[in-house]
Amino acid sequence: YLKYNVKSQNDVARMNKDFSAANSALAPLIAIDQEGGVVERLTSAVGFKEIPRARDVALNMDKDSAKVLYTDLAKRMRKLGFNTNFGPVVDLIINKNNPIIAKYGRSFSSRADITAKFATSFIDGHHQHGMITALKHFPGHGSSAADSHLGFVDISQSWVEAEYEPFETLIKAGKADMVMAGHLFHKGYVRDGEGQVPASLSPVALTTVLRQGMGFDGV
């Protein structure tokens, strides 16, 4: 689902109902990117109430009011047949000139504790209505100087250890249903004889660090 291919909420609900009915023994994951702010596939153009971007949530709300906001969002998406939301963004604002995270206010904060706190509000609100969530973008997109949607992004010089912290905190707290890996290259993940593999395809990033190091056993 993207902004340009959503004609109406009724069409979305009808399509999702058909997806769910296709195999009653194994319900599909019906996913959407509905972070808030600029990253929303369901918009006011089709009568869907939009919500603020993550940065504004963190600046203007406390964790309880944020949970109310995200619980209501999840309720409205669940009503349309969605069961998975690709959020929250737990990248940190390391590079204030970052062209894809900081630029659009998609991150809650430059601080890991604040980011984890509001991400928990996002996750708990979604869980309240049976929605699955995904932490993104591992190992952290907030320090990059380029947008990984547009090409190769090397974070070897810009990435900092603190970018792991929100992932670690939320995994330890049992809040990580899924983790979305970023198409981000870091030379520290390269094994001998291996080329420039992004984190999303790296056994070092996904197995050694995420699964073995952080104890993540989800998708």
Side-chain angles (χ1 to χ4, degrees):
Y1 289 92
L2 296 165
K3 290 179 183 179
Y4 62 78
N5 65 16
V6 173
K7 182 179 180 181
S8 74
Q9 291 189 58
N10 285 338
D11 284 346
V12 167
R14 189 179 306 113
M15 184 176 289
N16 286 349
K17 185 177 180 180
D18 288 344
F19 286 148
S20 295
N23 184 353
S24 59
L26 184 63
L29 295 180
I30 305 178
I32 189 167
D33 274 296
Q34 196 76 15
E35 297 173 10
V38 71
V39 182
E40 293 184 303
R41 310 313 189 199
L42 301 170
T43 67
S44 57
V46 294
F48 193 87
K49 180 184 175 184
E50 299 183 27
I51 67 167
R53 60 186 190 170
R55 188 72 185 117
D56 291 335
V57 169
L59 289 173
N60 299 309
M61 295 183 174
D62 59 24
K63 64 177 182 178
D64 294 328
S65 57
K67 183 181 176 181
V68 171
L69 175 76
Y70 291 126
T71 300
D72 177 66
L73 172 64
K75 180 181 179 180
R76 292 184 287 119
M77 289 193 295
R78 198 74 174 98
K79 188 176 180 181
L80 294 175
F82 291 101
N83 55 29
T84 305
N85 189 4
F86 288 140
V89 171
V90 296
D91 300 314
L92 302 182
I93 306 172
I94 303 298
N95 174 13
K96 293 182 179 179
N97 295 315
N98 177 286
I100 191 60
I101 303 299
K103 178 179 178 179
Y104 298 109
R106 296 173 64 194
S107 171
F108 290 110
S109 176
S110 60
R111 286 174 45 182
D113 58 335
I114 293 175
T115 298
K117 177 178 70 174
F118 283 100
T120 297
S121 296
F122 185 107
I123 294 163
D124 287 349
H126 281 69
H127 284 178
Q128 203 161 307
H129 289 285
M131 294 279 293
I132 293 169
T133 60
L135 309 182
K136 60 187 192 185
H137 308 80
F138 186 83
H141 207 326
S143 66
S144 76
D147 176 0
S148 61
H149 294 87
L150 304 178
F152 183 82
V153 174
D154 187 341
I155 58 171
S156 300
Q157 301 302 318
S158 60
W159 185 88
V160 295
E161 193 82 17
E163 295 184 69
Y164 275 153
E165 292 178 18
F167 293 98
E168 292 177 305
T169 297
L170 293 162
I171 289 168
K172 185 176 181 180
K175 302 294 184 182
D177 301 321
M178 299 192 295
V179 171
M180 183 186 291
H183 303 309
L184 305 162
F185 172 75
H186 192 294
K187 63 183 181 182
Y189 296 146
V190 177
R191 300 179 297 186
D192 289 342
E194 193 172 59
Q196 293 181 317
V197 178
S200 53
L201 298 173
S202 167
V204 176
L206 302 181
T207 301
T208 305
V209 177
L210 184 60
R211 293 205 182 283
Q212 297 173 356
M214 298 186 187
F216 178 66
D217 61 0
V219 176

